[in-house]
Amino acid sequence: MQREIQIYNTLSRTKERFEPLNPPFVGLYVCGPTVYGDAHLGHARPAITFDLVFRYLSHLGYKVRYVRNITDVGHLENDADEGEDKIARKARLEQLEPMEVVQYFTDRYHLNMAQLNVKSPSIEPRASGHIIEQIEMVREILKAGMGYEVNGSVYFDVEAYNRGHRYGKLSGRVLDDLLANTRALEGQDEKRNPFDFALWKKAQPEHIMRWPSPWSEGFPGWHLECSAMSNRYLGDLFDIHGGGMDLLFPHHEAEIAQSCTVHGKDPVKYWMHNNMITIEGQKMGKSLGNFITLNEFFNGAHVRLEKAFSPMTIRFFILQAHYRSTLDFSNEALMAAEKGLERLMAGRKVLEQLKPGSESTFDVAGLQAKCYAAMDDDFNSPIAIAHLFDAVRIINSIKDGKGSLTATDLHGLREWVESFVVDILGLKEEVGGSESSLMSDVVGLLIRLRAEAKARKDFQTADEIRDELGKVGIVLKDTRDGVEWQISGKDI
Ligand code: ZN
């Protein structure tokens, strides 16, 4: 715990020495998913990034209270506080109660996270379970003169706030630029300024998710939930707030404004943001046909994939880039990651078998120190992994009779490699091994052939592939998000 860790703080735009507010305790809050669809790479990256932070700090002896929320209400279709609630929309399309949608996709999210070996957070609060706290915050913001009510909805008054604070300090945006660059208000908009954001929205008659409040029957604004829940579980000021870079503005900027107004101080000491993911150089999007869910990666059932990729391959691939770098997914890059992971895990197995020698011809302690130093330097997992590959080279040299390690150094090497691979990077041996991945590859191939047949309107071949797979006990299911497959009624 005495190690000096540097964290890049988005707020100060510089690396800062990590000094917890109340050691050995560390408060960590990360914005979780809005549960209206299957998780994709955009969910995997922040989950794995902050799992790494959680694991490393815990490994060093810190007592981390990790809060990652579930957004189950209030996230509208666009950031301008307009459009339908994302979960309500899905519920309407599927003719379900919104909480059925939430339960279904929360369960699937948890399954994906377990597959990726992402640890459960200490607390996983839901926005809909904290309506009282959110209403209380709206009340406080109104009392402070930083909000206004229009027709039962309440908005945050950014201009009023900006007189005493700097709205935009996290994202680097300047209010005057925002003013100049935003379109003029449309007539029906209730906001005084386009950059004001909703704290409470009055529910339209068709809107199912609604709660009573002093202003109207309605629902909280999306930004409010994180302010309310982080405060509830971590207090007025906590150590680390994380999330994807796409949340920097307006979501996190709004969180700061809300919390500053109510508690009179900045809520967070270190803001951390992971960078974005692209697919073969393109932004990921449903309309671009490159929207690949984690389940599709795991079973290979997407036309853009040449094969299935295991959860550990995805995890290793994400960890092979620093969290602040952009990350581009391609079949080639994933195959390279798969090979690298195999090499690392094979080295671990060889290490178990090595016998000590009378002298050490390698500097294991020096390498271990470099590995820790990489993690101390803003959680630089790619450098740490590079040092682990150096260790694999040493292991293979000793196996080949080119060098040796004393019993003490061999023990040190085993402890270091195990704690990094298993505890810190969270990599594990995948059960089923090559046989089940071969199975995934073959089914994935057939699913892609079927999709290609469908695309050229060869429905006979498409149906034949489905029927023949059915005969051997593999059931294909066409869903809105793609094709899923199961063996005799069992989820893969
Ligand atoms: Zn959030």
Side-chain angles (χ1 to χ4, degrees):
M1 221 194 312
Q2 300 308 315
R3 307 193 62 86
E4 183 181 327
I5 300 174
Q6 297 282 325
I7 293 184
Y8 182 87
N9 190 346
T10 316
L11 191 61
S12 65
R13 289 167 187 74
T14 168
K15 276 186 199 170
E16 290 176 17
R17 186 188 175 142
F18 177 57
E19 285 169 322
L21 295 155
N22 183 26
F25 302 100
V26 173
L28 168 64
Y29 187 93
V30 175
C31 294
T34 304
V35 281
Y36 69 103
D38 270 349
H40 51 76
L41 292 173
H43 296 100
R45 196 170 193 196
I48 289 171
T49 295
F50 294 102
D51 187 51
L52 180 73
V53 172
F54 183 32
R55 282 168 178 273
Y56 189 58
L57 294 178
S58 304
H59 173 79
L60 297 183
Y62 289 109
K63 307 257 173 274
V64 186
R65 184 183 291 167
Y66 177 15
V67 183
R68 188 186 68 206
N69 68 302
I70 293 280
T71 296
D72 60 357
V73 65
H75 197 169
L76 303 185
E77 299 247 272
N78 68 42
D79 279 341
D81 299 318
E82 294 303 328
E84 213 173 337
D85 180 291
K86 292 187 181 192
I87 286 155
R89 178 170 189 276
K90 184 79 173 175
R92 179 171 60 75
L93 292 172
E94 307 279 338
Q95 293 185 298
L96 294 168
E97 154 71 24
M99 283 302 141
E100 283 182 281
V101 172
V102 168
Q103 190 67 51
Y104 180 77
F105 287 110
T106 302
D107 287 348
R108 289 172 73 88
Y109 178 74
H110 285 157
L111 178 63
N112 284 159
M113 291 304 113
Q115 287 169 316
L116 290 169
N117 208 19
V118 166
K119 286 189 177 215
S120 295
S122 324
I123 305 173
E124 193 174 49
R126 285 184 180 188
S128 66
H130 298 76
I131 302 292
I132 292 168
E133 289 87 340
Q134 295 180 74
I135 288 176
E136 195 47 42
M137 276 196 95
V138 178
R139 224 196 285 266
E140 295 283 330
I141 290 168
L142 282 170
K143 210 169 19 167
M146 299 294 179
Y148 54 91
E149 186 195 336
V150 187
N151 305 326
S153 291
V154 182
Y155 297 95
F156 191 90
D157 190 341
V158 171
E159 216 165 28
Y161 174 79
N162 199 53
R163 276 177 218 128
H165 305 80
R166 220 193 104 209
Y167 185 76
K169 67 178 175 183
L170 181 67
S171 58
R173 302 195 189 204
V174 178
L175 199 59
D176 287 340
D177 297 345
L178 284 174
L179 263 174
N181 293 333
T182 38
R183 280 172 293 124
L185 287 176
E186 286 164 31
Q188 70 274 27
D189 202 315
E190 296 167 339
K191 294 181 198 173
R192 289 181 192 161
N193 278 304
F195 43 72
D196 290 350
F197 53 87
L199 299 168
W200 187 263
K201 286 284 272 186
K202 181 183 175 174
Q204 298 304 307
E206 68 275 9
H207 198 99
I208 320 167
M209 288 192 281
R210 51 170 73 214
W211 290 265
S213 82
W215 314 285
S216 64
E217 275 224 342
F219 54 94
W222 172 42
H223 312 312
L224 197 58
E225 64 171 275
C226 290
S227 287
M229 293 187 288
S230 61
N231 183 259
R232 171 90 157 73
Y233 298 109
L234 299 173
D236 292 359
L237 174 61
F238 58 95
D239 297 289
I240 305 174
H241 192 315
M245 229 156 70
D246 52 332
L247 298 180
L248 204 64
F249 189 89
H251 187 59
H252 291 160
E253 202 74 65
E255 272 187 49
I256 293 178
Q258 291 163 161
S259 294
C260 270
T261 300
V262 175
H263 305 296
K265 59 180 169 198
D266 264 33
V268 176
K269 196 167 177 193
Y270 307 94
W271 280 92
M272 290 179 70
H273 291 92
N274 65 275
N275 214 321
M276 297 289 99
I277 275 171
T278 52
I279 309 255
E280 289 163 328
Q282 278 183 314
K283 234 182 121 172
M284 191 166 55
K286 285 226 158 112
S287 57
L288 295 168
N290 65 0
F291 192 89
I292 311 172
T293 66
L294 291 175
N295 291 327
E296 286 169 328
F297 273 105
F298 301 161
N299 64 28
H302 192 284
V303 283
R304 289 287 192 100
L305 295 174
E306 285 171 23
K307 62 190 284 301
F309 294 100
S310 74
M312 281 306 104
T313 300
I314 301 288
R315 181 174 180 108
F316 189 64
F317 182 72
I318 287 175
L319 291 172
Q320 270 191 309
H322 188 250
Y323 74 90
R324 282 194 288 121
S325 314
T326 53
L327 182 57
D328 188 48
F329 270 82
S330 66
N331 285 286
E332 294 70 34
L334 278 174
M335 284 184 228
E338 190 176 65
K339 284 221 169 65
L341 180 61
E342 268 171 28
R343 203 151 51 83
L344 183 61
M345 295 315 246
R348 229 180 113 221
K349 283 228 174 80
V350 174
L351 178 57
E352 283 172 26
Q353 315 296 330
L354 292 186
K355 299 270 182 291
S358 53
E359 54 160 356
S360 287
T361 55
F362 302 99
D363 179 13
V364 171
L367 206 52
Q368 176 179 356
K370 283 196 222 167
C371 204
Y372 274 100
M375 287 302 291
D376 293 343
D377 182 15
D378 197 24
F379 308 95
N380 202 326
S381 53
I383 302 285
I385 289 170
H387 292 310
L388 286 171
F389 278 122
D390 291 340
V392 170
R393 270 188 284 279
I394 291 176
I395 291 163
N396 289 330
S397 296
I398 296 173
K399 187 187 75 173
D400 297 340
K402 295 174 200 149
S404 62
L405 287 175
T406 61
T408 311
D409 280 347
L410 191 59
H411 178 73
L413 179 62
R414 282 189 184 129
E415 284 223 315
W416 161 45
V417 169
E418 280 309 286
S419 55
F420 260 78
V421 171
V422 179
D423 298 343
I424 298 169
L425 298 177
L427 299 168
K428 59 176 184 186
E429 217 60 70
E430 293 186 300
V431 283
S434 55
E435 212 173 281
S436 90
S437 93
L438 186 65
M439 168 86 156
S440 292
D441 287 351
V442 173
V443 178
L445 169 70
L446 288 166
I447 289 173
R448 290 194 298 281
L449 287 175
R450 177 169 168 260
E452 280 162 29
K454 268 187 170 174
R456 58 172 192 269
K457 302 214 184 306
D458 179 1
F459 296 110
Q460 199 186 334
T461 305
D463 289 348
E464 208 177 319
I465 291 173
R466 188 196 57 210
D467 296 345
E468 290 299 317
L469 278 172
K471 281 183 200 161
V472 297
I474 292 169
V475 187
L476 299 191
K477 202 174 115 198
D478 291 299
T479 71
R480 191 181 297 275
D481 299 322
V483 183
E484 291 176 8
W485 63 274
Q486 295 180 332
I487 302 175
S488 45
K490 190 165 144 273
D491 266 324
I492 295 295

